[in-house]
Amino acid sequence: MAIFGAKQVLWRSFTTVASHPLRVCIVGSGPAGFYTAEKILKRHQGSQVDIIDRLPTPYGLVRSGVAPDHPETKNVINQFSRVVQSGRCSFLGNIALGSSISLEELRELYHVVVLAYGAESDRVLGIPGEDLKGIHSAREFVWWYNGHPDGRNLDPDLKSTDTAVILGQGNVALDVARILLRRTSELAATDIASHALTALEQSSIRKVYLVGRRGPVQAACTAKELREVLGIKDLYIHIKEADLKTTPADEEEMKSSRIHKRIYELLSKAATAGPSQPSSGQRELHFVFFRQPDRFLESHDRKGYVSGVHLEKTALKGVGSGKQIAIGTGQFENLSCGIALKSIGYKSVPVDGLPFDNQKGVVPNVKGRVLSDNSGDPTSVENGLYVCGWLKRGPTGIIGTNLYCAEETVASVSEDVEQGVLGAATESNWPKPGREGLLRILEDRKVRVVPFSGWERIDKEEKRLGSLRNKPREKMTTWEELLKAASE
């Protein structure tokens, strides 16, 4: 079926018995978007939900963010697929908010618009040398090895150096370290992008430094991720003994947080479990605590390329309620490397017509209801406009965190529907064109819509290609490949 012919099929497939159903558009098909759709469909019988995404593929970070060697985490895709196949929900890919369709137009077409498009940009350090070649964001690197079409051309240089520095010690930083250090024979059986696997097979990286502003008690990763990276076969782990010394404030933190205590215990055990020196040719993982980047260093031999990071030593300062922050001490040291990866956080991007808090990188909201400005005034609500996921709360949490986030947002939607904030079903202005109106506009603009059936063709072809290489799937990594497969 040609993709342009999808409109008629979609119209026929999603008719409802309700004369004027609640029409909902969710922008973003990651966990936040799908959990929101699932909750709305359960709470509002007869409602019609359309999930749109700028990519031709659904599932957001489950597809492009979860590490390839974490297949069990991706099983949530099965649940999300059932949501689309329920009969009152559709997925419409290759629709970019802002260029294909405006936010204002979506609000005219639907009773409810929920923005759940996550964070597709990066925070910046704002330090000298940040634009040197060889410096990448962890997001770019993750997209590269996961086959995201926007990360296909990253081409990180893994051959010219044996040392990589990762700034950050959260789960994404640990994912990146694990991919750099794990045996490629193990990665070959995953759905890692082929271009990334080839580069990793030819990689010269043997040492990875994970740099954190605070200490082992405050490390931002989870115990599961930490155990996994510490469990890499034949890996030398190095942690300075002095960094493991705890203060009364650290002990207080561990008393109030079982997670922090467990992470500290794992790091302490790893520091003493192995040999004091690496063996010849052994890969190395170094945890560097109490350091923050001051500037990047330029190579003398390769002008314009990074050769290291100038780090400032830090100390912890209590800020009440058992929390400690890192402050600079004025003491510095250099850490040499040929590639640096910044894992300091993702950042959401605004669109025209959307209030946005640039400092926090989120849309101002109260329980998912979008506010007209950054004042925090709960009465200045944009009726019918909601937010969920990272765009709502910032880039924190795991996949499951979005479930609770969606519950809160959908509760707000339901409350507004019940209180008549969005208009009553008896009013003449209640009917909205919804999907039909959206598809009409997109057809007029020659936007090539990829319905869920198009994704199923991509999925089928990727699995077929993967079977030829003993992989679960061989991801298509260019827009051209994806759109071609969707229409065949």
Side-chain angles (χ1 to χ4, degrees):
M1 181 192 75
I3 290 181
F4 283 127
K7 183 169 75 168
Q8 287 78 10
V9 175
L10 286 165
W11 288 4
R12 287 198 299 270
S13 301
F14 294 97
T15 54
T16 74
V17 293
S19 56
H20 299 305
L22 177 71
R23 293 184 181 268
V24 180
C25 182
I26 297 169
V27 183
S29 67
F34 268 101
Y35 282 132
T36 300
E38 186 177 44
K39 300 292 176 189
I40 284 176
L41 290 167
K42 284 181 180 176
R43 292 278 293 261
H44 299 274
Q45 296 302 316
S47 59
Q48 289 186 353
V49 178
D50 299 324
I51 304 172
I52 69 172
D53 200 291
R54 76 176 186 89
L55 291 175
T57 56
Y59 311 129
L61 282 181
V62 181
R63 177 176 166 91
S64 61
V66 174
D69 56 349
H70 282 176
E72 69 288 343
T73 308
K74 302 183 186 186
N75 288 337
V76 72
I77 282 174
N78 298 326
Q79 177 185 347
F80 295 160
S81 297
R82 289 192 292 272
V83 173
V84 182
Q85 293 159 344
S86 66
R88 290 188 289 123
C89 182
S90 73
F91 166 77
L92 302 169
N94 201 40
I95 301 172
L97 180 63
S99 54
S100 305
I101 192 87
S102 71
L103 178 59
E104 185 181 0
E105 287 170 324
L106 284 182
R107 295 182 71 181
E108 286 293 322
L109 292 166
Y110 292 87
H111 301 105
V112 170
V113 175
V114 183
L115 302 173
Y117 60 77
E120 292 199 332
S121 184
D122 309 286
R123 291 176 180 167
V124 295
L125 287 164
I127 60 175
E130 199 166 355
D131 58 349
L132 289 169
K133 292 175 184 175
I135 301 171
H136 309 284
S137 73
R139 175 193 58 81
E140 292 174 313
F141 192 74
V142 168
W143 279 11
W144 171 75
Y145 67 62
N146 270 328
H148 191 294
D150 289 347
R152 176 68 177 84
N153 298 319
L154 183 68
D155 196 24
D157 182 3
L158 305 179
K159 291 182 184 178
S160 302
T161 180
D162 68 350
T163 304
V165 165
I166 301 171
L167 299 172
Q169 294 178 335
N171 283 347
V172 175
L174 266 60
D175 274 348
V176 170
R178 199 177 64 254
I179 295 298
L180 286 171
L181 292 168
R182 195 165 183 178
R183 293 177 182 177
T184 52
S185 58
E186 295 171 356
L187 292 174
T190 72
D191 67 356
I192 190 170
S194 286
H195 60 255
L197 182 63
T198 300
L200 289 163
E201 285 171 342
Q202 300 168 0
S203 171
S204 302
I205 303 292
R206 292 296 176 268
K207 300 176 187 176
V208 173
Y209 290 81
L210 280 163
V211 180
R213 283 188 166 95
R214 297 184 293 170
V217 172
Q218 295 80 27
C221 58
T222 60
K224 181 179 180 290
E225 286 277 353
L226 182 58
R227 271 195 302 269
E228 199 166 358
V229 77
L230 294 175
I232 293 175
K233 293 174 186 173
D234 193 30
L235 180 68
Y236 170 73
I237 309 287
H238 180 256
I239 301 169
K240 288 181 181 175
E241 194 177 327
D243 286 348
L244 291 165
K245 291 178 181 175
T246 59
T247 64
D250 288 331
E251 296 294 337
E252 196 62 36
E253 272 195 63
M254 286 191 283
K255 265 186 192 176
S256 59
S257 171
R258 195 174 67 185
I259 295 171
H260 284 175
K261 183 181 180 183
R262 184 66 185 129
I263 287 168
Y264 176 78
E265 288 170 349
L266 287 167
L267 289 167
S268 298
K269 184 179 177 183
T272 56
S276 57
Q277 295 292 328
S279 58
S280 177
Q282 190 176 26
R283 295 190 179 196
E284 305 171 24
L285 177 61
H286 297 255
F287 285 86
V288 180
F289 295 103
F290 304 110
R291 301 290 187 277
Q292 63 185 10
D294 176 66
R295 60 187 166 91
F296 290 101
L297 305 172
E298 185 176 3
S299 170
H300 295 298
D301 304 325
R302 303 176 73 204
K303 188 167 176 59
Y305 285 82
V306 69
S307 67
V309 190
H310 189 59
L311 298 171
E312 181 178 17
K313 296 181 181 180
T314 64
L316 294 181
K317 177 186 177 183
V319 287
S321 67
K323 188 181 177 185
Q324 300 180 86
I325 60 168
I327 55 170
T329 64
Q331 297 176 286
F332 298 88
E333 64 184 23
N334 291 340
L335 180 55
S336 298
C337 66
I339 186 170
L341 297 159
K342 301 177 295 178
S343 186
I344 56 170
Y346 288 38
K347 184 181 178 183
S348 296
V349 291
V351 295
D352 286 344
L354 179 67
F356 196 77
D357 187 329
N358 283 294
Q359 191 174 355
K360 294 178 181 176
V362 298
V363 173
N365 71 93
V366 174
K367 294 184 177 180
R369 293 182 179 92
V370 173
L371 301 178
S372 302
D373 53 47
N374 293 333
S375 67
D377 179 4
T379 62
S380 62
V381 171
E382 292 280 335
N383 284 341
L385 186 60
Y386 305 83
V387 69
C388 188
W390 283 2
L391 199 57
K392 171 185 172 185
R393 66 180 192 275
T396 59
I398 56 176
I399 288 174
T401 311
N402 293 289
L403 176 61
Y404 307 107
C405 187
E407 283 177 343
E408 181 182 66
T409 294
V410 173
S412 293
V413 171
S414 299
E415 196 175 291
D416 292 347
V417 170
E418 289 158 12
Q419 293 183 358
V421 174
L422 308 178
T426 55
E427 293 178 4
S428 59
N429 67 343
W430 175 256
K432 292 271 191 176
R435 184 183 310 126
E436 292 87 345
L438 174 63
L439 289 169
R440 196 175 297 121
I441 290 172
L442 295 174
E443 187 174 49
D444 290 344
R445 291 175 185 168
K446 302 291 189 288
V447 174
R448 190 175 175 183
V449 178
V450 177
F452 194 71
S453 57
W455 154 246
E456 288 176 321
R457 292 187 194 94
I458 294 170
D459 185 42
K460 184 178 179 182
E461 180 62 6
E462 287 186 341
K463 286 175 178 175
R464 185 190 71 79
L465 294 170
S467 68
L468 302 176
R469 300 192 183 197
N470 295 316
K471 297 174 64 174
R473 73 171 61 240
E474 182 63 56
K475 285 182 178 174
M476 297 178 200
T477 59
T478 67
W479 286 89
E480 293 76 17
E481 287 176 310
L482 290 163
L483 292 172
K484 183 172 183 287
S487 61
E488 287 180 346

